[in-house]
C-alpha cells in the first residue's frame, strides 16, 4: 500500500495536543486542514481511549473557516442540515450529500481536464494557478445556486432585492452552458 493511500494518523493526547505519528511532531488544526487540502486522508484518535475523533475535528475545522468569513455553506444549507438531525430524512441525507459532492468533484475534474486538452495554454507556466482560480470560481458559483439545499422555508429571511442577482445568475448559467457546448464540440 502506498504511503499516501493510508490515512495519516494523528493522536490526541490528554492535553488535547495533536501529534503527527509520521513526522513525530505536534500539529495544529490548520496543519490538518492543509493535509486534507493536499489530498491526504487523516484519522484522529484519542491516545488513551482509542476513540476515533476525526469527525469532531473536521467539524471544528469547518466551523473555524466559516467563522473567519470563508463561507462555503450558505445559511439555508446549514439550517437544512440541522433539520435533518431531527427528521426521518436524516437517514438519507449523508448518502445524498456524499453523492452530490462526488458529482460536483467529478464534474469539476472533467471540466478542468477538457479545458487542459483543448487549451494550448495548458502547457504554459502558470496555467495550474489559473486552473486553481477557475476551480475556486466554480465552488463559489455552485454554493449559492438557488434551490441548492433549500428545504421548507429555506429562502425565508433573506433580505434585499434579489432580482438583479437572479438576472446575473441566469446570465452566468447561459454563458456556462455555451462554454460547455463549445467544449463538448471540441472533444468530438
Amino acid at each position: 500500500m502506498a504511503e499516501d493511500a493510508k490515512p495519516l494518523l494523528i493522536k490526541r493526547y490528554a492535553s488535547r495536543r495533536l501529534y503527527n505519528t509520521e513526522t513525530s511532531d505536534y500539529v495544529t488544526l490548520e496543519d490538518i486542514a492543509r493535509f486534507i487540502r493536499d489530498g491526504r486522508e487523516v484519522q484522529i484518535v484519542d491516545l488513551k481511549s482509542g476513540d476515533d475523533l476525526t469527525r469532531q475535528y473536521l467539524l471544528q475545522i469547518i466551523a473555524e473557516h466559516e467563522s473567519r468569513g470563508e463561507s462555503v455553506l450558505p445559511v439555508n444549507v446549514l439550517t437544512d442540515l440541522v433539520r435533518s438531525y431531527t427528521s426521518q430524512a436524516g437517514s438519507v441525507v449523508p448518502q445524498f450529500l456524499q453523492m452530490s459532492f462526488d458529482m460536483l468533484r467529478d464534474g469539476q475534474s472533467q471540466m478542468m481536464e477538457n479545458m487542459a486538452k483543448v487549451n494550448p495554454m495548458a502547457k504554459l507556466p502558470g496555467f495550474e494557478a489559473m486552473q486553481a482560480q477557475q476551480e475556486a470560481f466554480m465552488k463559489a458559483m455552485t454554493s449559492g445556486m438557488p434551490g441548492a439545499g433549500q428545504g421548507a422555508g429555506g429562502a425565508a429571511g433573506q433580505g434585499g432585492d434579489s432580482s438583479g442577482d437572479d438576472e446575473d445568475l441566469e446570465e452566468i448559467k447561459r454563458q456556462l452552458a455555451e462554454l460547455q457546448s463549445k467544449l463538448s464540440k471540441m472533444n468530438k
Side-chain angles (χ1 to χ4, degrees), residues 62 66 70-78 81 101 143:
I62 291 168
E66 290 284 322
E70 301 170 22
S71 298
V72 171
L73 300 169
V75 172
N76 57 345
V77 171
L78 294 171
L81 280 172
F101 277 103
S143 70

Side-chain angles (χ1 to χ4, degrees), residues 110 113-115 117-118 182-188:
Q110 185 64 40
E113 286 175 23
N114 289 342
M115 286 180 65
K117 286 178 188 175
V118 298
K182 287 179 184 177
L183 284 173
S184 64
K185 288 178 185 175
M186 293 174 139
N187 286 333
K188 292 182 179 179

Side-chain angles (χ1 to χ4, degrees), residues 123-165:
K123 307 250 188 290
L124 295 175
F127 181 75
E128 290 172 0
M130 187 175 75
Q131 200 171 15
Q133 217 173 16
Q134 177 67 24
E135 288 175 8
F137 172 74
M138 288 300 294
K139 284 180 186 176
M141 265 186 52
T142 56
S143 70
M145 290 286 233
Q150 288 184 0
Q158 293 177 349
D161 180 20
S162 64
S163 64
D165 291 342

Side-chain angles (χ1 to χ4, degrees), residues 49-67:
S49 69
D51 292 342
D52 189 337
L53 306 173
T54 307
R55 179 183 308 268
Q56 171 187 335
Y57 278 93
L58 293 178
L59 288 169
Q60 188 174 345
I61 290 168
I62 291 168
E64 285 190 12
H65 282 274
E66 290 284 322
S67 70

Side-chain angles (χ1 to χ4, degrees), residues 3-184:
E3 189 68 24
D4 286 348
K6 65 180 178 180
L8 169 60
L9 181 61
I10 305 289
K11 293 183 179 179
R12 184 185 77 173
Y13 284 93
S15 65
R16 299 204 179 272
R17 292 191 71 187
L18 301 169
Y19 184 77
N20 181 339
T21 59
E22 285 184 4
T23 59
S24 301
D25 61 351
Y26 291 102
V27 293
T28 64
L29 283 179
E30 191 55 43
D31 293 328
I32 293 170
R34 187 173 23 85
F35 297 146
I36 293 168
R37 282 190 298 269
D38 290 343
R40 191 72 194 267
E41 294 294 321
V42 174
Q43 182 181 19
I44 304 168
V45 297
D46 184 86
L47 180 66
K48 187 174 182 180
S49 69
D51 292 342
D52 189 337
L53 306 173
T54 307
R55 179 183 308 268
Q56 171 187 335
Y57 278 93
L58 293 178
L59 288 169
Q60 188 174 345
I61 290 168
I62 291 168
E64 285 190 12
H65 282 274
E66 290 284 322
S67 70
R68 290 192 303 237
E70 301 170 22
S71 298
V72 171
L73 300 169
V75 172
N76 57 345
V77 171
L78 294 171
T79 302
D80 287 341
L81 280 172
V82 170
R83 281 189 189 115
S84 73
Y85 281 95
T86 59
S87 71
Q88 294 287 340
S91 62
V92 296
V93 170
Q95 293 88 3
F96 173 76
L97 289 173
Q98 184 64 50
M99 287 179 4
S100 297
F101 277 103
D102 289 346
M103 286 175 38
L104 178 62
R105 185 177 45 246
D106 293 345
Q108 287 176 333
S109 296
Q110 185 64 40
M111 188 175 90
M112 291 298 130
E113 286 175 23
N114 289 342
M115 286 180 65
K117 286 178 188 175
V118 298
N119 191 345
M121 292 177 54
K123 307 250 188 290
L124 295 175
F127 181 75
E128 290 172 0
M130 187 175 75
Q131 200 171 15
Q133 217 173 16
Q134 177 67 24
E135 288 175 8
F137 172 74
M138 288 300 294
K139 284 180 186 176
M141 265 186 52
T142 56
S143 70
M145 290 286 233
Q150 288 184 0
Q158 293 177 349
D161 180 20
S162 64
S163 64
D165 291 342
D166 290 342
E167 290 171 2
D168 290 343
L169 184 59
E170 289 304 316
E171 178 63 18
I172 290 171
K173 285 181 182 179
R174 185 189 62 73
Q175 290 175 358
L176 185 58
E178 286 177 8
L179 179 61
Q180 288 174 333
S181 174
K182 287 179 184 177
L183 284 173
S184 64

